């Protein structure tokens, strides 16, 4: 929860309001992507009052580890002392790395559409209404449901994010979902998506 608070409230602009920059080669600077800066520069004051947090616990990270291609159940058991959870039942979608309830979304090979859920818990002091704003990565459409929701302190809401390839490419595209609350909270979730024309391991 602390990690989420730090990440979702990070700044993506400097004190002058200009985008954070990254050195790409030599002295060439370009606007930084999530692969350069993570979620941005820590804003300690805002992190103390994030409004919403995304809570991932031990079992969530265990499921994430068990979904990594090439990692077998025996290796997981030796490493962390706990077995992989039983696989989903027949007809259920397989677990994917993008299912981890992290304050970012990364999909390394998007073919067609994929639904990603994020679970948001209110740590605010008051009831608050949030509205979702989307900046979609290149080659991808993003639909967020609900696009507006009210949440009370301590409650958890599910945010359903549907990513759809609109133009397959050969590079990651970057975007974000920004949840703005009517009590002045702002929660930013970066998106990094590779819109692929063929299937591969995530």
């Amino acid at each position: 929860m602390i990690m989420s608070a730090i990440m979702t409230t990070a700044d993506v602009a400097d004190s002058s309001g200009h985008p954070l920059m990254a050195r790409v080669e030599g002295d060439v600077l370009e606007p930084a992507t999530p692969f350069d800066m993570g979620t941005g520069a820590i804003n300690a004051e805002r992190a103390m009052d994030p409004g919403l947090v995304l809570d991932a616990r031990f079992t969530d990270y265990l499921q994430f580890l068990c979904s990594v291609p090439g990692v077998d159940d025996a290796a997981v058991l030796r490493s962390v002392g706990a077995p992989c959870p039983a696989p989903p039942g027949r007809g259920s979608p397989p677990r994917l790395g993008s299912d981890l309830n992290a304050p970012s979304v990364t999909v390394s090979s998007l073919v067609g559409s994929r639904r990603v859920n994020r679970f948001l818990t209110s740590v605010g002091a008051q009831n608050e209404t949030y509205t979702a704003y989307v900046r979609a990565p290149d080659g991808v459409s993003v639909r967020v449901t609900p696009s507006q929701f009210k949440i009370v302190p301590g409650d958890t809401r599910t945010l359903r994010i549907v990513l759809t390839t609109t133009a397959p490419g050969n590079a990651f595209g970057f975007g974000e979902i920004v949840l703005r609350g009517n009590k002045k909270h702002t929660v930013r979730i970066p998106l990094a998506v590779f819109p692929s024309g063929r299937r591969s391991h995530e």
Side-chain angles (χ1 to χ4, degrees), residues 19 21 48 51 133 155:
M21 304 297 284
M48 293 294 290
Y133 299 89
D155 200 9

Side-chain angles (χ1 to χ4, degrees), residues 90-112:
R90 181 174 295 179
S92 298
R95 295 189 187 95
L96 300 170
S98 56
D99 292 331
L100 178 66
N101 194 41
S104 63
V105 175
T106 301
V107 177
S108 61
S109 181
L110 179 65
V111 179

Side-chain angles (χ1 to χ4, degrees), residues 1 54-64 100-101 121 156:
M1 293 172 75
L54 296 91
D55 188 14
R57 304 185 180 190
F58 175 79
T59 53
D60 299 303
Y61 281 99
L62 180 62
Q63 290 182 353
F64 170 79
L100 178 66
N101 194 41
T121 300
T156 298

